[in-house]
Amino acid sequence: MELLNYAFMQRALLAAVLVGITAPAIGIYLVQRRQALMGDGIGHVAMTGVGLGFLLSWSPIWMATLVAVVGAVLMELIRWYGRTRGDIALAMLFYGGMAGGVMFINLAPTGSNANLTSYLFGSLSTVSDSDVTAICGLAAFVVLVTVGLRRQLFAVSQDEEFARVTGLPVRALNLLTAVTAAVTVTVAMRVVGLLLVSALMVVPVAAAQQLSRSFAATFAIAVAIGVGVALGGTITSYYQDVPPGATIVLLTIGAFVVLTALAAPLARRRARAHAAAHPPGDPAECAIPATRGATDEVGV
């Protein structure tokens, strides 16, 4: 392929694969926790880190990671202790992060609105070797947490009280989930952009849930969708000269629409198979029906 002859496209494609893996990997836990918009909030806070990186002449990715992690921890603390004013505190944190990013990058001698735009919506040509190194290290952390601790994170995401009774460190795992989400945002910002990364965390998971009833299968399908749309959007961006972040998100939404359309006939087929296996009057009909959600079955 022609695009592989260019070093910047090689870096962009590698970054896209890593983003496609990490975003749905942590997104599945956020969806289970009903915190689908958490990535969007962290993206707003990470803008301050990008601006500080330019102002202090330090790596914007590492500075954004540091600020995003602090912001994610604050978000989790507000969720625990904020009570009725928690939403106001979160709003100030999100919008303060955006304002801080714009202010710092304009104060920086080498900063400009063009620099900020590349982090907000992604940019293929600006992915450097140092960016790839940082993205690889951060992605390895995300995969290690989301796969290595999948049973514990799944239990906490489903029912915190039950997880606490079983002896799991619920608060520590919640903080780890928040920190991992923050790291994922900074992994994705060079390809998808800070303002669009939340879609790649949530929509592939929602699409995978249309096809699968088990957590393990949903996880695998979501990651496959994430990698597919990230690569597809990056390649399309190169050939059609369109923004990579927007292209990736639109492809992700398209995948969701297609899989949702396919889910209805698949559900009817399962229902017919179940009816054939358990005809009327069969004793199995007296069994207690399952109460788990679409991704709650054993298979973690």
Side-chain angles (χ1 to χ4, degrees):
M1 296 177 67
E2 174 196 349
L3 76 170
L4 294 179
N5 295 328
Y6 300 99
F8 80 93
M9 280 305 300
Q10 295 172 8
R11 294 191 294 268
L13 289 171
L14 175 58
V17 170
L18 295 176
V19 169
I21 293 172
T22 55
I26 186 62
I28 191 169
Y29 301 107
L30 298 181
V31 170
Q32 291 295 314
R33 290 155 58 97
R34 294 178 175 82
Q35 294 180 329
L37 295 180
M38 185 177 186
D40 188 54
I42 294 174
H44 286 64
V45 176
M47 288 173 61
T48 292
V50 173
L52 279 174
F54 280 99
L55 182 63
L56 302 177
S57 299
W58 205 47
S59 169
I61 285 187
W62 289 113
M63 184 60 78
T65 301
L66 177 61
V67 173
V69 166
V70 173
V73 171
L74 288 175
M75 290 170 61
E76 193 62 28
L77 292 176
I78 290 171
R79 188 174 75 90
W80 293 343
Y81 304 114
R83 301 184 186 278
T84 57
R85 293 190 175 270
D87 57 339
I88 299 175
L90 287 175
M92 289 192 293
L93 183 65
F94 296 165
Y95 297 125
M98 292 179 64
V102 173
M103 181 63 71
F104 289 139
I105 204 165
N106 279 278
L107 292 175
T110 59
S112 67
N113 288 333
N115 295 129
L116 186 59
T117 300
S118 69
Y119 285 90
L120 292 179
F121 302 105
S123 176
L124 297 180
S125 60
T126 58
V127 180
S128 64
D129 289 331
S130 60
D131 289 338
V132 171
T133 301
I135 290 171
C136 288
L138 295 171
F141 168 79
V142 174
V143 172
L144 182 65
V145 170
T146 55
V147 176
L149 296 176
R150 64 189 183 280
R151 295 182 184 276
Q152 294 89 335
L153 295 178
F154 175 80
V156 173
S157 299
Q158 288 301 111
D159 191 334
E160 287 190 5
E161 293 302 323
F162 177 77
R164 188 175 287 109
V165 170
T166 60
L168 290 176
V170 172
R171 288 194 172 181
L173 289 170
N174 282 336
L175 281 174
L176 182 60
T177 301
V179 169
T180 306
V183 171
T184 304
V185 168
T186 56
V187 167
M189 70 181 181
R190 299 303 277 143
V191 177
V192 184
L194 291 172
L195 297 185
L196 298 175
V197 61
S198 186
L200 198 57
M201 288 180 169
V202 173
V203 181
V205 177
Q209 287 177 335
Q210 306 303 312
L211 299 180
S212 173
R213 294 174 58 85
S214 76
F215 176 85
T218 299
F219 188 101
I221 295 172
V223 169
I225 293 171
V227 172
V229 297
L231 283 175
T234 303
I235 294 171
T236 302
S237 176
Y238 171 78
Y239 284 110
Q240 301 298 324
D241 192 24
V242 291
T247 307
I248 290 171
V249 171
L250 289 175
L251 287 177
T252 309
I253 294 174
F256 173 81
V257 171
V258 171
L259 292 180
T260 300
L262 294 175
L266 287 176
R268 287 194 293 269
R269 185 178 301 176
R270 290 196 192 102
R272 288 195 294 268
H274 179 78
H278 303 286
D282 190 277
E285 289 193 350
C286 299
I288 298 175
T291 58
R292 293 185 176 123
T295 59
D296 298 352
E297 293 188 0
V298 177
V300 185

